[in-house]
């Protein structure tokens, strides 16, 4: 397939581009580089020995997008492009609603114009809001999101769902990611957060490399086995392979469909730190801090549906992910800014 990948220079996008290319698909990337570096394209080429076509620009720039659909006969779109920082979304809600919603609306409009009927959308476990039971299945209620970023994911799902009602020819797959960590085994591509990382794994690797003195553990008084928050950490390469599986099963999975992409296993903050130390032989100093506002005690996926309908399961272990995150960070202490 010839696949348009929006946000393909980003963390999950770049890993997905690598897997698409190695599975024989052709890739066209659109990215405005607002949260990524052009260097990632050289790294993708080194890994795959293939050159993805790249356009720098915004998805919501309709003339720009139309030009790309005119130039390339596109079979399917994977839509990663969007802003994702929870804290910033609370401070600048309009920035998030504008970028994350307009990009989808314009994309759907241009896809309609060019009769492109296959879409994979990057959703998030954040759409489940504050869940009342674990593990989470795709049938569990969504909404009740606790920040504008989460609201944009929920609203995007609604927009795409209603679009599918009006366009029965569509195959639109919502992939609800749990917590992606890890990096490509080559250590050539990985997560490259700007400024202070919000998420746990990039913070751990920055402590390991000596960029930050210690890890702040946000709360040890949750009703969990060791009091720290539990999440479902999934290796980013497994996540990328979930996108390939989604595209390749779209013929069967017509209409609007939703899948959880996780491992089905919950890991606490202290367990992740211990796994990282064990995998890499590096000590992570930590300090217990108060809870972070908006956090929930635990969150992990039921992935039965993905297994049966996508034929996909996460196969990489937590230790693999810890080793790969560290390989990326230690080989690239300044990320792509070498
Ligand atoms: P990322 O920031 O690394 O990648 C997103 C890419 O999109 C960046 O390269 C950025 O420059 C680009 N971009 C942003 N807005 C754009 C626009 N309007 N037009 C063109 N390019 C634009 O983020 P990521 O971690 O790779 O996440 C990819 C997607 O998955 C996002 O939609 C994110 O919300 C979603 N997601 C991520 C996580 C996570 O933990 N990383 C979890 C759940 C869902
Ligand atoms: C966060 C977002 C979520 C988003 C996801 C992926 C919040 C409240 N939620 O999820 O909407 O979809 O990232 O980008 O921001 N932790 C620490 N110390 C740290 C960082 C995190 O103890 O320095 C703990 C957290 O309290 C949590 C766990 O580690 O228990 C995971 O945190 P994080 O990586 O930020 O992911 P989520 O909170 O699950």
């Amino acid at each position: 397939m010839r696949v348009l990948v929006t946000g393909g220079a980003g963390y999950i996008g770049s890993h997905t581009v690598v897997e698409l290319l190695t599975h024989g698909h052709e890739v066209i990337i659109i990215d405005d580089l607002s949260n990524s570096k052009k260097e990632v394209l050289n790294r993708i080429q080194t890994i795959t020995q293939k050159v993805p076509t790249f356009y720098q620009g915004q998805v919501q720039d309709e003339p720009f997008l139309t030009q790309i659909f005119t130039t390339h006969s596109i079979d399917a779109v994977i839509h990663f492009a969007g802003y994702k920082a929870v804290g910033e979304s609370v401070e600048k809600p309009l920035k998030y609603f504008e970028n994350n919603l307009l990009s989808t609306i314009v994309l759907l409009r241009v896809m309609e114009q060019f009769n492109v009927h296959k879409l994979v959308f990057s959703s998030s476990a954040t759409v489940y809001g504050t869940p009342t039971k674990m593990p989470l299945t795709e049938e569990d209620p969504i909404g009740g999101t606790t920040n504008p970023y989460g609201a944009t994911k929920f609203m995007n799902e609604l927009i795409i769902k209603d679009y599918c009602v009006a366009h029965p020819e569509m195959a639109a797959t919502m992939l609800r990611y749990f917590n992606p960590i890890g990096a490509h085994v080559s250590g050539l591509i990985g997560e490259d957060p700007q400024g202070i990382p919000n998420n746990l794994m990039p913070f751990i690797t920055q402590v390991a490399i000596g960029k930050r003195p210690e890890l702040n553990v946000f709360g040890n008084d949750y009703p969990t086995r060791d009091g720290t928050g539990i999440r479902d950490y999934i290796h980013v390469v497994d996540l990328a392979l979930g996108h390939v599986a989604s595209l390749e099963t779209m013929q069967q999975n017509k209409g609007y469909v939703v899948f959880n992409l996780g491992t089905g296993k919950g890991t606490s903050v202290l367990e992740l730190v211990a796994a990282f130390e064990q995998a890499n032989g590096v000590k992570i100093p930590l300090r217990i801090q108060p809870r972070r506002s908006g956090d929930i005690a635990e969150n992990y996926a039921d992935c039965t549906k993905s297994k049966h309908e996508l034929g996909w399961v996460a196969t990489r272990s937590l230790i693999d992910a810890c080793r790969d995150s560290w390989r990326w960070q230690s080989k690239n202490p300044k990320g792509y800014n070498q």
Side-chain angles (χ1 to χ4, degrees):
M1 272 189 237
R2 188 170 296 119
V3 188
L4 178 70
V5 181
T6 77
Y11 172 46
I12 304 169
S14 58
H15 287 81
T16 303
V17 167
V18 165
E19 296 309 322
L20 287 169
L21 291 172
T22 50
H23 282 75
H25 298 286
E26 203 181 307
V27 173
I28 295 137
I29 298 175
I30 298 182
D31 201 299
D32 64 3
L33 302 180
S34 55
N35 196 38
S36 50
K37 299 277 166 17
K38 217 172 172 180
E39 170 60 18
V40 74
L41 301 170
N42 299 327
R43 308 288 181 95
I44 291 171
Q45 191 180 339
T46 305
I47 296 169
T48 63
Q49 301 297 309
K50 291 179 183 168
V51 188
T53 306
F54 173 70
Y55 293 95
Q56 184 173 351
Q58 287 204 301
V59 177
Q60 60 268 43
D61 178 344
E62 198 156 346
F64 163 75
L65 195 64
T66 304
Q67 186 55 50
I68 291 166
F69 275 78
T70 307
T71 309
H72 304 276
S73 172
I74 287 161
D75 299 309
V77 180
I78 306 182
H79 184 31
F80 292 106
Y83 298 148
K84 64 164 185 177
V86 172
E88 189 191 43
S89 82
V90 175
E91 280 152 35
K92 299 175 182 168
L94 296 185
K95 176 176 170 179
Y96 275 68
F97 286 116
E98 183 174 1
N99 192 51
N100 293 5
L101 298 184
L102 260 188
S103 56
T104 305
I105 292 168
V106 171
L107 177 64
L108 287 172
R109 198 150 63 206
V110 176
M111 285 175 66
E112 181 178 358
Q113 198 188 326
F114 286 85
N115 289 311
V116 178
H117 305 311
K118 294 188 171 91
L119 173 67
V120 176
F121 177 70
S122 291
S123 192
S124 166
T126 194
V127 299
Y128 294 112
T130 307
T132 50
K133 69 164 234 326
M134 285 298 146
L136 286 159
T137 74
E138 292 83 352
E139 281 66 48
D140 282 321
I142 59 169
T145 46
T146 52
N147 55 72
Y149 162 74
T152 70
K153 290 295 169 196
F154 174 59
M155 290 162 86
N156 264 300
E157 287 200 5
L158 295 182
I159 291 168
I160 297 167
K161 191 175 187 183
D162 282 345
Y163 181 82
C164 287
V165 171
H167 296 269
E169 69 282 10
M170 275 295 286
T173 302
M174 307 299 103
L175 297 180
R176 293 181 182 153
Y177 313 154
F178 280 71
N179 289 56
I181 58 169
H184 190 265
V185 69
S186 63
L188 285 168
I189 57 172
E191 187 168 14
D192 184 19
Q194 310 302 308
I196 302 170
N198 299 305
N199 298 118
L200 181 57
M201 182 56 98
F203 208 104
I204 291 176
T205 60
Q206 291 198 1
V207 173
I209 200 94
K211 198 168 170 183
R212 319 235 165 242
E214 59 190 9
L215 172 71
N216 297 308
V217 174
F218 298 139
N220 68 348
D221 57 352
Y222 285 105
T224 60
R225 45 187 177 263
D226 61 18
T228 65
I230 287 181
R231 298 292 185 271
D232 186 340
Y233 296 97
I234 174 170
H235 195 296
V236 68
V237 174
D238 280 327
L239 193 68
L241 289 167
H243 293 74
V244 178
S246 300
L247 278 185
E248 293 179 349
T249 54
M250 265 192 167
Q251 228 47 41
Q252 298 98 281
N253 294 319
K254 270 261 151 105
Y256 178 86
V257 285
V258 179
F259 293 108
N260 285 338
L261 294 185
T263 65
K265 191 171 170 289
T267 301
S268 75
V269 175
L270 297 180
E271 287 166 350
L272 186 65
V273 170
F276 188 91
E277 292 181 336
Q278 185 200 324
N280 301 310
V282 185
K283 186 88 194 121
I284 304 297
L286 52 82
R287 188 182 299 266
I288 306 296
Q289 299 284 4
R291 293 181 180 192
R292 181 172 70 178
S293 101
D295 271 355
I296 55 177
E298 63 172 355
N299 202 17
Y300 58 95
D302 179 324
C303 300
T304 312
K305 188 179 176 199
S306 307
K307 184 179 175 185
H308 290 150
E309 295 179 30
L310 294 177
W312 170 92
V313 282
T315 59
R316 287 159 184 78
S317 69
L318 197 64
I319 293 286
D320 294 333
C322 289
R323 202 179 290 131
D324 293 340
S325 285
W326 178 231
R327 187 181 301 107
W328 153 253
Q329 178 75 81
S330 47
K331 280 178 83 167
N332 305 272
K334 294 180 182 159
Y336 292 110
N337 277 333
Q338 295 303 322

